[in-house]
Amino acid sequence: MATVPELSSEMTAFHSDENELFFEVDRPQKMKGCFQDLDLGCPDESIQLQISQQHFNKSFRQVVSLIVAVEKLWGMPVSCPWTFQDEDLKTFFSFIFEEEPILCDSWEDEQLVCDFPIRQLHCRLRDEQQKCLVLSDPHELKALHLNGENINQQVVFSMSFVHGDTSSNKIPVALGLKGKNLYLSCVMKDGRPTLQLESVDPKQYPKKKMEKRFVFNKIEVKSKVEFESAQFPNWYISTSQAEHKPVFLGSNSGQDIVDFTLESVSS
């Protein structure tokens, strides 16, 4: 094997024992090239660069040492078939840097969704019999026919588009009453899924990631919409065939009304 010429003082300043990890001479070769200093006048006196397949614990100092050495070698005149190019630096990257996965909790992390803007739509809902929804007491909605001046009694919903399981025909929304700190929510009472109006803190709601009991899957069926509970799949916001009955959570058995007409109103 050819001898290595004595390093100049400038090269010695960047030399350390750690650099030997990058210039092993007795390990399997992947790439080899010679860089000859023509000033030495001897073609046998050259520097041989060998890349080892073995991985080492890399340090920033080693990386800097390698880059300095490559720059020095690149600037030396060469008289061999293999010419060192910029692209050859890529060969070193897999030996210096290790790729590591970045782990996160995605949508489960509240911080990832708290900055999302909340899109809202103000609207009124009527069932397919044209019954309107009104607030009959502080925590109960009822469906009844209105006309004339009574039409203003129907509630206006603030429909918020929130985080949830979105599909081609289901859009997750939350339904709050405009001007009131009340949201429709679904809970289990007496062993049955139940619809209720729940008071909330106006400083905390609405928010992009609503608790699941507040979330409904808005489903469009032709010109009508349905609202399926995300907490209780296959249970829907429903009205009775009879007049002046409370709005409730039904199982879409065919006897109750689950289809509504949505009318947008200006904010």
Side-chain angles (χ1 to χ4, degrees):
M1 175 176 176
T3 60
V4 179
E6 183 177 356
L7 296 175
S8 65
S9 59
E10 184 179 7
M11 283 288 289
T12 306
F14 297 99
H15 178 269
S16 71
D17 292 338
E18 292 179 352
N19 292 340
E20 294 176 0
L21 298 177
F22 295 96
F23 299 94
E24 295 286 347
V25 297
D26 56 352
R27 297 188 184 278
Q29 295 184 18
K30 181 175 181 181
M31 180 176 61
K32 178 178 178 180
C34 62
F35 301 83
Q36 185 180 46
D37 189 346
L38 297 182
D39 293 337
L40 296 175
C42 178
D44 293 333
E45 293 184 347
S46 60
I47 297 176
Q48 293 183 341
L49 176 64
Q50 298 179 0
I51 306 301
S52 172
Q53 294 287 353
Q54 181 173 346
H55 290 270
F56 299 94
N57 292 327
K58 279 73 74 171
S59 67
F60 183 73
R61 180 180 179 184
Q62 291 173 316
V63 175
V64 173
S65 299
L66 176 62
I67 293 175
V68 170
V70 168
E71 289 295 323
K72 292 295 182 181
L73 292 173
W74 193 18
M76 296 173 63
V78 298
S79 59
C80 62
W82 180 69
T83 304
F84 197 81
Q85 303 293 335
D86 287 341
E87 290 76 10
D88 297 321
L89 284 173
K90 299 177 182 178
T91 308
F92 300 113
F93 288 168
S94 62
F95 296 92
I96 301 172
F97 303 106
E98 294 180 358
E99 183 177 353
E100 295 185 359
I102 299 177
L103 302 178
C104 66
D105 295 332
S106 188
W107 294 103
E108 295 303 319
D109 189 349
E110 179 73 20
Q111 294 181 348
L112 294 180
V113 296
C114 63
D115 293 333
F116 276 59
I118 300 175
R119 185 165 67 94
Q120 287 189 313
L121 173 67
H122 295 111
C123 60
R124 296 187 180 98
L125 297 175
R126 294 187 184 186
D127 67 15
E128 63 182 5
Q129 290 185 351
Q130 295 302 305
K131 293 198 296 293
C132 303
L133 307 185
V134 300
L135 189 63
S136 62
D137 65 44
H139 293 86
E140 185 178 64
L141 288 176
K142 287 187 177 181
L144 65 155
H145 288 96
L146 297 175
N147 53 54
E149 295 181 357
N150 294 333
I151 199 71
N152 294 326
Q153 295 180 15
Q154 61 183 323
V155 298
V156 176
F157 291 96
S158 293
M159 181 187 298
S160 302
F161 294 83
V162 298
H163 168 64
D165 297 328
T166 304
S167 64
S168 59
N169 64 333
K170 294 184 178 182
I171 301 175
V173 298
L175 294 170
L177 271 59
K178 182 182 177 182
K180 301 181 182 296
N181 303 321
L182 295 172
Y183 277 81
L184 287 174
S185 67
C186 301
V187 296
M188 186 70 73
K189 288 185 178 180
D190 300 326
R192 180 184 176 88
T194 303
L195 184 70
Q196 65 177 13
L197 278 175
E198 183 175 335
S199 298
V200 299
D201 183 354
K203 296 181 180 179
Q204 300 294 328
Y205 296 86
K207 56 186 179 180
K208 186 67 177 178
K209 188 175 181 180
M210 298 285 284
E211 290 79 7
K212 200 170 185 179
R213 68 181 184 276
F214 293 111
V215 180
F216 295 89
N217 296 317
K218 177 176 170 287
I219 305 171
E220 295 188 5
V221 182
K222 296 183 179 180
S223 60
K224 306 293 184 180
V225 292
E226 299 174 354
F227 296 95
E228 178 192 32
S229 170
Q231 184 84 332
F232 304 105
N234 300 317
W235 288 79
Y236 298 81
I237 295 178
S238 307
T239 60
S240 174
Q241 297 284 348
E243 181 84 3
H244 215 284
K245 295 293 183 180
V247 181
F248 61 97
L249 203 62
S251 58
N252 195 15
S253 61
Q255 299 178 354
D256 306 316
I257 301 173
V258 298
D259 294 327
F260 294 87
T261 300
L262 188 150
E263 176 192 2
S264 299
V265 299
S266 59
S267 56

Coordinates of all heavy atoms in Angstrom, one line a residue, residues 26 43 51 58-59 80 95 98 136 157 202 226 257 262 265:
D26 N -8.4 -1.3 6.9 CA -8.4 -2.7 6.9 C -9.9 -3.2 7.0 O -10.2 -4.3 7.5 CB -7.6 -3.3 8.1 CG -8.0 -2.8 9.4 OD1 -8.9 -1.8 9.4 OD2 -7.5 -3.3 10.4
P43 N 4.6 9.4 -7.8 CA 3.2 8.9 -8.0 C 2.8 7.9 -7.0 O 1.6 7.7 -6.8 CB 3.3 8.3 -9.4 CG 4.7 7.9 -9.6 CD 5.5 9.0 -8.9
I51 N -14.2 4.0 2.7 CA -15.4 4.1 3.4 C -15.7 2.8 4.0 O -15.9 1.8 3.3 CB -16.6 4.6 2.6 CG1 -16.2 5.9 1.8 CG2 -17.8 4.8 3.4 CD1 -15.8 7.0 2.8
K58 N -21.5 8.8 15.8 CA -20.9 10.0 15.2 C -21.1 11.2 16.1 O -22.0 11.4 16.8 CB -21.7 10.3 13.9 CG -21.2 9.4 12.7 CD -21.6 8.0 12.8 CE -23.1 7.9 12.5 NZ -23.5 6.5 12.4
S59 N -20.1 12.1 16.0 CA -20.1 13.4 16.7 C -20.0 14.5 15.7 O -19.5 14.3 14.6 CB -19.0 13.4 17.8 OG -17.7 13.5 17.1
C80 N -5.7 10.6 -11.3 CA -6.3 9.3 -11.3 C -7.6 9.3 -12.1 O -8.2 10.3 -12.2 CB -6.4 8.8 -9.9 SG -7.5 9.7 -8.9
F95 N -23.5 7.5 6.4 CA -22.6 7.0 7.5 C -22.5 8.0 8.6 O -22.1 7.7 9.7 CB -21.2 6.8 6.9 CG -21.1 5.7 5.9 CD1 -21.3 5.9 4.5 CD2 -21.0 4.4 6.3 CE1 -21.3 4.9 3.6 CE2 -20.9 3.3 5.4 CZ -21.1 3.6 4.0
E98 N -28.1 9.6 11.0 CA -29.1 8.5 11.1 C -30.5 9.1 11.1 O -30.8 10.1 11.8 CB -28.9 7.8 12.4 CG -27.5 7.0 12.5 CD -27.3 6.3 13.8 OE1 -28.2 6.4 14.6 OE2 -26.3 5.6 13.9
S136 N -88.7 26.0 24.7 CA -90.0 26.0 25.5 C -89.7 26.3 27.0 O -90.5 26.9 27.7 CB -90.7 24.7 25.4 OG -90.0 23.7 25.9
F157 N -79.6 28.4 15.3 CA -78.5 27.6 15.7 C -77.2 28.2 15.2 O -77.1 28.7 14.1 CB -78.6 26.2 15.2 CG -79.7 25.4 15.8 CD1 -80.9 25.2 15.2 CD2 -79.5 24.7 17.0 CE1 -81.9 24.5 15.8 CE2 -80.5 23.9 17.6 CZ -81.7 23.8 17.0
P202 N -68.8 30.1 28.1 CA -68.6 30.8 26.9 C -67.2 31.2 26.6 O -66.8 31.5 25.4 CB -69.5 32.1 27.1 CG -69.6 32.3 28.6 CD -69.6 30.9 29.1
E226 N -79.8 15.3 8.0 CA -80.0 14.5 9.2 C -78.8 14.8 10.1 O -77.7 15.1 9.7 CB -80.1 13.0 8.9 CG -81.3 12.7 8.0 CD -81.3 11.2 7.6 OE1 -80.3 10.5 7.9 OE2 -82.3 10.8 6.9
I257 N -89.5 11.6 13.0 CA -89.0 12.4 11.9 C -87.5 12.8 12.2 O -87.1 13.3 13.2 CB -89.8 13.7 11.8 CG1 -91.3 13.4 11.5 CG2 -89.2 14.6 10.7 CD1 -92.2 14.6 11.6
L262 N -82.8 22.9 6.2 CA -81.8 23.9 6.8 C -81.9 25.2 6.1 O -81.8 25.2 4.9 CB -80.4 23.3 6.8 CG -79.3 24.1 7.5 CD1 -78.2 23.1 8.0 CD2 -78.7 25.2 6.6
V265 N -79.2 31.8 7.8 CA -79.6 33.2 8.2 C -78.4 34.0 8.3 O -77.3 33.5 8.6 CB -80.5 33.2 9.5 CG1 -81.8 32.4 9.3 CG2 -79.7 32.7 10.7

